[in-house]
């Protein structure tokens, strides 16, 4: 029996040791991601910003750190502040998990309301407010087919955003801390904050003044001539080969890429 136990200990220590150490670290480490800011996209003059990332915040919870008597109170507050369904929010708070996402990419004025509520009700543990970013397109549908857009995870899904995603996306940071089985903090080190690295910006050859004029007359031509399949125009500088305008009709609002915004497509 002693020999068998010795062999078993040797197997756990030297054969499975690295694997088990990795699993222990995964179970005891709670990590929250910090989204890096995507790089800015400019037109050729660098005066016009075509796409930019603004600072917002995301709210997550550690259900096991919220006491049983506070769960309904926290669910009520979160649902009212962020206009969420109360029952769905309460269901997340009652889960036996280490972390649950309540809402992403929310304006700071709303998270400030949550901070005030937490202070007034003396509830600090279990609710996390972390940095996040949200992609904005100041000119809406202008050059939409060229610029493209991002998904909810800041991943480029179309156009320049997708083509140069590796340049624009940056490197996400994270907040780590060691926890026990119930999500409570282990040790006195607190949270380990690893800053995000912002993405690089890029400058297009597109001239926004020319682009806006081209899109205006392209839309008029397509409507006047009943071009049901739409139309496209490309304007190039013959001396340099730079593409000064690349317009396609119909376009779409980059801030609401999944919303149909033309009567032709609605019909």
């Amino acid at each position: 029996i002693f020999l068998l136990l010795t062999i078993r200990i040797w197997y756990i220590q030297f054969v499975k040791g690295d694997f088990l150490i990795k699993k222990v670290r995964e179970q005891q480490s709670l990590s929250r991601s910090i989204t890096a800011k995507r790089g800015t996209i400019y037109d050729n003059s660098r005066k016009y910003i075509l796409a930019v990332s603004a600072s917002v915040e995301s709210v997550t919870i550690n259900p096991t750190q919220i006491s049983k008597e506070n769960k309904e109170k926290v669910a009520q507050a979160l649902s009212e502040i962020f206009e969420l369904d109360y029952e769905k929010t309460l269901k997340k708070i009652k889960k036996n998990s280490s972390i649950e996402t309540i809402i992403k990419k929310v304006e700071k004025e709303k998270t400030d309301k949550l901070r005030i509520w937490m202070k007034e009700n003396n509830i600090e543990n279990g609710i996390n407010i972390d940095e996040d970013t949200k992609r904005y397109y100041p000119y809406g549908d202008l050059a939409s087919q060229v610029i493209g857009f991002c998904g909810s995870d800041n991943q480029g899904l179309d156009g320049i955003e997708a083509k140069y995603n590796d340049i624009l996306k940056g490197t996400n940071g994270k907040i780590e801390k060691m926890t026990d089985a119930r999500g409570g903090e282990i040790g006195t080190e607190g949270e380990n904050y690893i800053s995000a690295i912002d993405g690089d910006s890029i400058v297009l050859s597109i001239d926004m003044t020319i682009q806006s004029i081209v899109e205006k007359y392209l839309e008029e031509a397509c409507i006047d001539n009943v071009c049901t399949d739409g139309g496209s125009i490309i304007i190039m500088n013959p001396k340099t080969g730079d593409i000064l305008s690349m317009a396609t009709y119909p376009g779409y609002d980059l801030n609401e890429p999944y919303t149909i915004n033309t009567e032709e497509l609605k019909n």
Side-chain angles (χ1 to χ4, degrees), residues 157-192:
L157 298 180
D158 195 23
I160 294 294
E161 292 278 30
K163 177 68 176 177
Y164 296 101
N165 184 66
D166 290 343
I167 295 174
L168 292 164
K169 68 179 181 179
T171 303
N172 289 344
K174 58 184 175 180
I175 299 173
E176 291 182 328
K177 68 177 181 179
M178 300 302 290
T179 62
D180 57 24
R182 295 184 58 82
E185 190 170 315
I186 296 176
T188 58
E189 294 83 4
E191 294 182 331
N192 180 29

Side-chain angles (χ1 to χ4, degrees), residues 195-251:
S195 299
I197 301 174
D198 295 342
D200 293 325
S201 298
I202 61 176
V203 180
L204 304 183
S205 63
I206 297 294
D207 184 305
M208 285 304 286
T209 302
I210 297 174
Q211 181 76 20
S212 60
I213 294 171
V214 168
E215 289 196 13
K216 174 186 176 182
Y217 288 107
L218 174 60
E219 180 178 358
E220 291 179 2
C222 288
I223 293 173
D224 292 345
N225 293 280
V226 196
C227 299
T228 56
D229 292 331
S232 299
I233 294 177
I234 295 177
I235 293 181
M236 181 180 72
N237 183 335
K239 294 181 179 179
T240 62
D242 289 347
I243 303 298
L244 301 177
S245 174
M246 186 180 290
T248 300
Y249 179 83

Side-chain angles (χ1 to χ4, degrees), residues 130-149:
D130 297 321
E131 300 172 34
D132 203 347
T133 64
K134 185 176 181 179
R135 201 66 162 164
Y136 287 104
Y137 302 92
Y139 296 98
D141 61 352
L142 197 63
S144 59
Q145 304 284 9
V146 176
I147 299 169
F149 61 95

Side-chain angles (χ1 to χ4, degrees), residues 70 73-74 77-78 81 110-129:
N70 284 333
K73 184 193 294 186
V74 171
L78 292 174
I81 294 172
K110 286 196 173 183
T111 52
D112 282 342
K113 290 181 181 178
L114 176 59
R115 289 185 176 93
I116 294 170
W117 180 89
M118 291 169 64
K119 187 175 182 179
E120 290 176 346
N121 290 270
N122 196 28
I123 296 176
E124 296 181 358
N125 294 329
I127 303 176
N128 312 305
I129 303 173

Side-chain angles (χ1 to χ4, degrees), residues 46-63:
R46 299 197 183 195
K47 293 180 180 179
Y48 297 100
I49 295 175
L50 310 183
V52 65
S53 289
S55 295
V56 288
E57 293 181 314
S58 291
V59 178
T60 59
I61 58 169
N62 305 113

